[in-house]
């Protein structure tokens, strides 16, 4: 038998993403032992029962003991305190990555914890895959198949560490790419974070209208798809909104300006403007979907 | 054999909705002859080949000759000129309805054409069913099954005519309800028209960013669902946006205010506000979806 990619993998935060990663690596045979960590012991017991992890600790410092691989799978707001807690207990040469939806904030947190140079084994990452469901029960081994994973290695990251994190994700069936944390945050502010905020904001607006109950009664298929992402975990999106503040404000301001222009065109009865915008949007969307082979 | 509900049905606009209605009535056996009408003769020939209509005319006046039922299935902006064209040719006692997504504008157009009292057989309607695809090729008989159809009868509408339009839609498997045109327009401005404008506006904003190609490259599943409605027919949404101007502006102003408050909370780092809004939206959405049995 060949050596596993990772002999002992500690996953801190065995939820949808952390649990799915563990399951996928089990199936692919890429890992020796998996140690889970979280705050709710009941969830960890369940993860052992489901065969997702081998054992667990509710103490991150203990969980990373002797691990050659560490994955942080918590909401991004919790990552600084976890890095702080595990720092003195990390094995020499351990590879450390995360799955957070923002990258600049995770790198900034790591610099506050480790100083100006992070450990060479530290390679932040973000799998572009998920559902609106949360927790270990919602996890499944196929989540990452043919999905992208973005790695944002730091200047001080070891090339071997980046290759190891890449190899781990490729085992799950994902396609790995790299970019800078800043670029990552700008791209995902536009394609993921802003749409989530719009969906939350729309449902919130409708939920506070007088005719609330009626409004939802007549909401049809398009509305259901459009607002699906508003069923996502509020705590996770709270963390993301605060963590990616600058890139988000930039694209929100742009969007608010464009939306207001559309509003003005409706008020002025400017049909040419509306037709032009709708047509450009439809073409861009159809073209994107063709490429993504919906 | 019992009498068909409608002996001769004229459908002006044999597209997704008009074509699906014709197919559904064929399957249910509720109609004698179906006469189609549109501008593009090729589409009408295709509709005959597909067995959706029996014959056609490109002249609305000719199409409604001798018809005891007339359905207008065009974009709402075309309805006034169609009503004008068919007015002198309508059979006595004919039942006239439409499928437009706005109702106040259709009623106003009818009043301009017919004067202060519309014919007693005129009962405007709106099936709450559709897809982003258009044209007769996209039509299918099951489109209206278990979907709502809203009728907005006028004070002068004959009760028998309303019952006949209801019976026609019930044949397709739809659930029929009635409300006033104004109330209809307020409800659908919120649940349908605003979401479509947001989806168009978001894709338009992203399509005009410098990193456009890259942005779409990294757009994942949530984005795909969220923007599906931006693939809808631009002409149809142009018509709807202009036709439902007042109700749309009202709900857009409310939304813009709420979104800007969210933006301010992000800038100020007000996590409590964000968590409250996201949580309220998730609860409202999950509750609505439970009820709608997604
Ligand atoms: N869901 C998505 O669509 C998606 C996609 C890509 C990336 N992400 C990122 O993936 C990460 C996890 O998201 P998820 O969807 O997997 O959420 P999840 O299902 O709620 O899982 C989060 C896990 O983290 C644990 N946790 C939370 N705070 C912790 C702390 N302070 N210490 C230790 N464990 C803690 C939770 O367990 P306890 O509550 O028991 O501690 C839970 O098991 C987030 O950073 C998110 O941005 C999510
Ligand atoms: N799609 C939806 O999701 C949905 C849902 C509910 C209600 N509606 C409403 O249903 C109506 C039709 O929408 P649809 O989705 O069925 O659109 P569609 O597939 O494009 O069909 C519209 C039909 O109207 C014909 N038409 C357009 N202008 C005409 C004119 N001036 N005279 C005669 N025929 C004309 C078109 O054929 P030619 O181009 O050959 O004339 C086409 O066959 C709209 O009022 C819309 O608001 C749509």
């Amino acid at each position: 038998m060949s050596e596993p990619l990772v002999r002992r993998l500690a996953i801190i935060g065995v939820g949808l993403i952390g649990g799915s990663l563990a399951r996928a690596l089990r199936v692919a045979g890429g890992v020796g032992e998996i140690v889970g960590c979280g705050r709710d012991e009941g969830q960890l017991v369940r993860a052992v029962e489901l065969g997702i992890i081998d054992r667990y600790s509710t103490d991150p410092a203990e969980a990373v003991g002797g691990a050659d691989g560490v994955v942080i799978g918590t909401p991004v707001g919790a990552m600084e305190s976890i890095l702080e807690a595990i720092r003195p207990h990390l094995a020499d040469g351990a590879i450390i990555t995360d799955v957070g939806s923002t990258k600049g904030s995770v790198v900034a947190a790591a610099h506050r914890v480790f100083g100006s140079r992070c450990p060479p084994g530290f390679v932040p990452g973000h799998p572009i895959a998920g559902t609106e469901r949360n927790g270990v029960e919602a996890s499944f081994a196929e989540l990452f198949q043919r999905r992208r994973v973005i790695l944002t290695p730091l200047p001080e990251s070891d090339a071997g560490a980046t290759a190891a994190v890449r190899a781990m994700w490729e085992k799950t069936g994902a396609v790995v790419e790299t970019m800078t944390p800043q670029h990552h945050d700008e791209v995902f502010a536009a394609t993921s974070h802003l749409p989530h905020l719009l969906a939350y904001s729309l449902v919130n607006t409708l939920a506070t209208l007088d005719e609330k109950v009626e409004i939802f009664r007549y909401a049809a298929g398009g509305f259901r798809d459009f607002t699906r992402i508003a069923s996502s975990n509020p705590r996770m999106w709270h963390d993301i909104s605060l963590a990616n503040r600058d890139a988000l404000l930039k694209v929100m301001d742009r969007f608010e300006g464009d939306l207001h222009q559309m509003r003005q065109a409706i008020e002025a009865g400017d049909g040419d403007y509306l037709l032009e915008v709708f047509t450009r949007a439809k073409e861009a969307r159809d073209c994107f979907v063709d490429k993504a082979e919906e």
Side-chain angles (χ1 to χ4, degrees), chain A:
Chain A
M1 256 182 60
S2 68
E3 278 283 280
L5 274 171
V6 188
R7 271 184 302 264
R8 179 182 295 169
L9 182 68
I11 300 184
I12 303 168
V14 190
L16 171 69
I17 303 293
S20 295
L21 175 60
R23 286 183 195 259
L25 292 174
R26 288 272 203 226
V27 171
V31 66
E33 184 191 37
I34 303 182
V35 184
C37 174
R39 297 163 306 177
D40 178 348
E41 198 165 346
Q43 289 293 306
L44 296 165
V45 169
R46 189 77 191 110
V48 173
E49 282 169 7
L50 291 167
I52 298 173
I53 57 176
D54 296 295
R55 57 183 177 89
Y56 68 82
S57 167
T58 54
D59 176 10
E62 192 180 301
V64 302
D68 49 339
V70 175
V71 175
I72 309 180
T74 67
V76 290
M79 291 191 186
E80 181 161 353
S81 65
I82 288 169
L83 288 171
E84 191 67 60
I86 65 177
R87 189 177 54 80
H89 306 275
L90 288 166
D92 261 4
I95 284 162
I96 311 137
T97 189
D98 76 301
V99 302
S101 305
T102 65
K103 296 274 59 80
S105 73
V106 173
V107 172
H111 280 304
R112 284 192 297 272
V113 170
F114 294 112
S116 62
R117 278 184 69 85
C118 292
F122 179 57
V123 183
H126 174 204
I128 315 306
T131 72
E132 329 62 72
R133 303 191 48 224
N134 279 98
V136 70
E137 299 272 2
S139 67
F140 56 101
E142 301 76 23
L143 178 59
F144 308 111
Q145 273 172 21
R146 289 181 303 283
R147 309 306 295 267
R148 286 175 212 275
V149 171
I150 314 291
L151 301 184
T152 62
L154 308 186
E156 63 264 40
S157 297
D158 183 71
T162 304
V165 176
R166 174 188 286 271
M168 176 187 80
W169 281 113
E170 285 174 347
K171 277 267 177 193
T172 70
V175 179
V176 178
E177 302 189 17
T178 60
M179 57 175 77
T180 67
Q182 196 205 327
H183 189 61
H184 168 279
D185 287 356
E186 281 171 9
V187 168
F188 289 92
T191 55
S192 171
H193 309 170
L194 176 59
H196 277 83
L197 294 185
L198 294 180
Y200 277 128
S201 195
L202 174 70
V203 177
N204 179 57
T205 295
L206 301 198
T208 52
L209 290 179
D210 293 342
E211 318 89 325
K212 171 180 169 174
V213 175
E214 247 223 292
I215 291 279
F216 285 111
R217 185 171 147 77
Y218 293 106
F223 182 82
R224 197 137 67 212
D225 283 352
F226 184 81
T227 59
R228 178 163 295 120
I229 53 181
S231 287
S232 302
N233 181 349
R235 166 60 61 183
M236 168 177 150
W237 284 99
H238 159 279
D239 283 15
I240 291 172
S241 304
L242 297 178
N244 202 17
R245 176 179 176 280
D246 295 348
L248 246 175
L249 289 177
K250 212 169 110 184
V251 73
M252 278 186 96
D253 288 345
R254 177 79 174 249
F255 176 82
E256 282 187 26
D258 290 348
L259 182 67
H260 194 67
Q261 214 173 323
M262 184 179 283
R263 184 228 174 269
Q264 299 300 79
I266 291 171
E267 182 162 45
D270 185 349
D272 290 346
Y273 178 85
L274 296 173
L275 198 56
E276 184 193 316
V277 169
F278 296 168
T279 304
R280 181 164 56 224
K282 177 182 167 56
E283 280 166 5
R285 205 269 168 187
D286 288 348
C287 164
F288 142 71
V289 166
D290 272 359
K291 289 213 185 88
E293 289 161 69
E294 193 176 41

